[in-house]
Amino acid sequence: MPVWCCRCSLAGHFRNYSDTETEGEIFNSLVQYFGDNLGQKVKAMPLVEETSLLEDSSVTLPVVVIGNGPSGICLSYMLSGYRPYLSSEAIHPNAILHSKLEEGRHLSIVDQDLEYLSEGLEGRSSNPVAVLFDTLLHPDADFGYDYPSVLHWKLEQHHYIPHLVLGKGPPGGAWHNMEGSMLTISFGNWMELPGLKFKDWVSSKRRNLKGDRVMPEEIARYYKHYVKVMGLQKNFRENTYITSVSRLYRDQGDGDGQDRNISTQHLQIEKSKLIKRNWEIRGYQRVADGSHVPFCLFAENVALATGTLDSPAHLEIEGEDLPFVFHSMPEFGAAIGKGKLRGKADPVLIVGSGLTAADAVLCAYNNNIPVIHVFRRRVTDPSLIFKQLPKKLYPEYHKVYHMMCTQSYSVDSTLLSDYTSFPEHHVLSFKSDMKCILQSISGLKKIFKLSAAVVLIGSHPNLSFLKEQGCYLGHNSSQPITCKTNPVEIDAYTYECVKEANLFALGPLVGDNFVRFLKGGALGVTRCLAMRQKKKHLFVERGGGDGIA
């Protein structure tokens, strides 16, 4: 595979080019990116040879994207040169926004001032570009309208920015691992990516379309098909696991220099090369025979699109590691599927107040398993997700919410036969005899015997490949990165990390948990990189040295 650098200490050197890509194509892309007048200089740099050492690698990719879910796919689509324009006959229902769009009708959205276009818009994301792009793709969606997008897309190959997208599994990311029995929370058309309508794709796959919501496995297949039909395969590498992402050097005056990973001599050599090697990405690829092949990549920019489903959050209490305590829907579903909970008189404890916890309640309820449902919030808390979902569209979740409100435990009552909620309670501990201790907000404690427990209180991204587990990138650098409470701190319009130049983050890492909003991150990153590319070309055309921008 192009650009992958493996140490010669391997028993056999690894080289595997895809059918659609050659060294020459990668070289041509790099020349296209940096300008033909730099072609000879690039050509002198060998790509991957069978005897390559890590130290011999000379090619530095402009962008490496870590994560191949919808965030990474959409970013690859736009980095590949696809550009959104205002459709000729489109009229956006927001008159002020439409007037702004008319001013730049001849320009793609990527080439316009995103801050100007975003001004005054409101939506369900805290990121203004996410709200902007969502209202262009799905005008007035939050008011229940199904207006068509006001954008049309053009492939402008001269805007292609060479990049690789690295993922653990096939394109689609965590969607390939989600519980198959649950309907997605969003409409199918909200899950779609630019240029391929989900309804058109799914109608060709199944005859009966009952409603607008779909199964997660259909979404996963759609994303995998999208990469193929849009011609993005050459940018994707599957079965890759990242072990470290580190800076090779920092610019003068950038920090205290503690992050230097190479010697001063190597630093001088590095600065003389065509592209600034800001990042070194190390990891391994799992190949067909199950073996692990190490690789090392160099990149000018890195985009984090990992999502946040890697590591389920824990309560961090006594007994949480006991075998009857689960931390994911697949674990719980498997226990039910194997009949382990069938006929049990003792209830299942479900902890959490989000949609995954609601899924677990429904799963247990539908299998006639009694439920104790514990959560810290009041049932009237306006931030509960149920209050954001229309009743007509999500009746099953509102059924759970109704039970949360009307079937709550009180000191003078007993557990109900099917479901009992414990608002404003938390779990103190689990015991080896399958008992748990609950405590109310007033301090009252209660002990219950369980058949199982399911802790579904969110998840954390796995950023172990970054220094400090990536915590330093968050708004609160002393806490782990989380989607809701401590997302990565970014520039609102470029998605570049505030605390790390040339490192970008998008999707759930910056608080955009819904697919409809994460597409804005791809727009912000692409505009930022395209603007820097223009500046770099202008610098070269004016004779600005050796091309180091």
Side-chain angles (χ1 to χ4, degrees), residues 4-6 13-15 17 23 46-53:
W4 297 69
C5 168
C6 306
H13 300 296
F14 180 59
R15 186 182 188 185
Y17 296 100
E23 286 183 344
L47 292 168
V48 174
E49 298 295 339
E50 292 185 7
T51 56
S52 287
L53 299 174

Side-chain angles (χ1 to χ4, degrees), residues 274-286:
L274 174 63
I275 311 167
K276 185 184 292 184
R277 285 186 179 178
N278 290 322
W279 298 101
E280 177 190 79
I281 302 101
R282 289 180 178 271
Y284 63 87
Q285 185 177 37
R286 194 159 57 188

Side-chain angles (χ1 to χ4, degrees), residues 19 26 44 54 59 93 155 181 194 223 228 234 247 250 284 336 338 364 375 379 395 411 437 440 453 496 545:
D19 294 337
I26 288 289
L54 173 62
V59 172
L155 176 57
S181 62
Y223 291 143
K228 182 178 180 180
K234 70 174 183 178
R247 272 202 179 278
R250 294 181 180 274
Y284 63 87
I336 291 177
K338 293 176 182 177
F375 45 96
V379 292
V411 291
I437 303 175
S440 70
E496 188 170 26

Side-chain angles (χ1 to χ4, degrees), residues 286-303:
R286 194 159 57 188
V287 293
D289 63 1
S291 61
H292 294 173
V293 181
F295 66 80
C296 175
L297 297 172
F298 297 107
E300 191 176 359
N301 302 281
V302 169

Side-chain angles (χ1 to χ4, degrees), residues 424-437:
E424 298 184 276
H425 280 68
H426 64 277
V427 184
L428 280 181
S429 64
F430 295 105
K431 302 299 182 181
S432 58
D433 59 359
M434 299 190 73
K435 291 180 180 178
C436 74
I437 303 175

Side-chain angles (χ1 to χ4, degrees), residues 129-303:
V129 177
V131 175
L132 168 66
F133 210 26
D134 178 65
T135 195
L136 296 176
L137 294 168
H138 307 288
D140 282 356
D142 287 333
F143 297 105
Y145 296 107
D146 190 19
Y147 293 139
S149 170
V150 298
L151 302 177
H152 73 280
W153 293 82
K154 296 180 181 178
L155 176 57
E156 299 175 348
Q157 293 182 338
H158 60 284
H159 286 312
Y160 175 75
I161 297 177
H163 62 281
L164 280 181
V165 183
L166 309 180
K168 296 177 183 177
W175 284 94
H176 290 278
N177 304 320
M178 290 189 182
E179 184 69 14
S181 62
M182 303 300 164
L183 292 172
T184 64
I185 188 62
S186 294
F187 289 145
N189 63 334
W190 287 359
M191 310 302 294
E192 69 189 19
L193 298 179
L196 180 62
K197 289 186 177 297
F198 181 82
K199 285 184 178 179
D200 293 344
W201 176 82
V202 78
S203 63
S204 68
K205 303 296 178 183
R206 58 179 168 134
R207 294 180 179 178
N208 297 321
L209 291 173
K210 296 181 180 179
D212 289 314
R213 290 167 61 203
V214 292
M215 306 298 281
E217 57 263 32
E218 288 181 304
I219 297 292
R221 289 198 300 269
Y222 165 81
Y223 291 143
K224 188 174 181 180
H225 177 76
Y226 182 92
V227 169
K228 182 178 180 180
V229 76
M230 293 300 173
L232 308 179
Q233 305 104 306
K234 70 174 183 178
N235 305 314
F236 282 73
R237 298 293 182 269
E238 300 178 17
N239 303 313
T240 59
Y241 297 79
I242 309 301
T243 55
S244 73
V245 174
S246 57
R247 272 202 179 278
L248 290 177
Y249 62 84
R250 294 181 180 274
D251 294 331
Q252 291 183 354
D254 184 10
D256 56 9
Q258 292 182 353
D259 294 332
R260 294 173 184 269
N261 290 344
I262 59 176
S263 67
T264 303
Q265 180 181 2
H266 282 163
L267 179 61
Q268 296 303 319
I269 295 173
E270 189 60 46
K271 285 193 172 183
S272 70
K273 292 181 180 176
L274 174 63
I275 311 167
K276 185 184 292 184
R277 285 186 179 178
N278 290 322
W279 298 101
E280 177 190 79
I281 302 101
R282 289 180 178 271
Y284 63 87
Q285 185 177 37
R286 194 159 57 188
V287 293
D289 63 1
S291 61
H292 294 173
V293 181
F295 66 80
C296 175
L297 297 172
F298 297 107
E300 191 176 359
N301 302 281
V302 169

Side-chain angles (χ1 to χ4, degrees), residues 410-431:
S410 62
V411 291
D412 56 351
S413 67
T414 58
L415 293 179
L416 300 175
S417 61
D418 56 353
Y419 172 95
T420 307
S421 69
F422 286 76
E424 298 184 276
H425 280 68
H426 64 277
V427 184
L428 280 181
S429 64
F430 295 105
K431 302 299 182 181

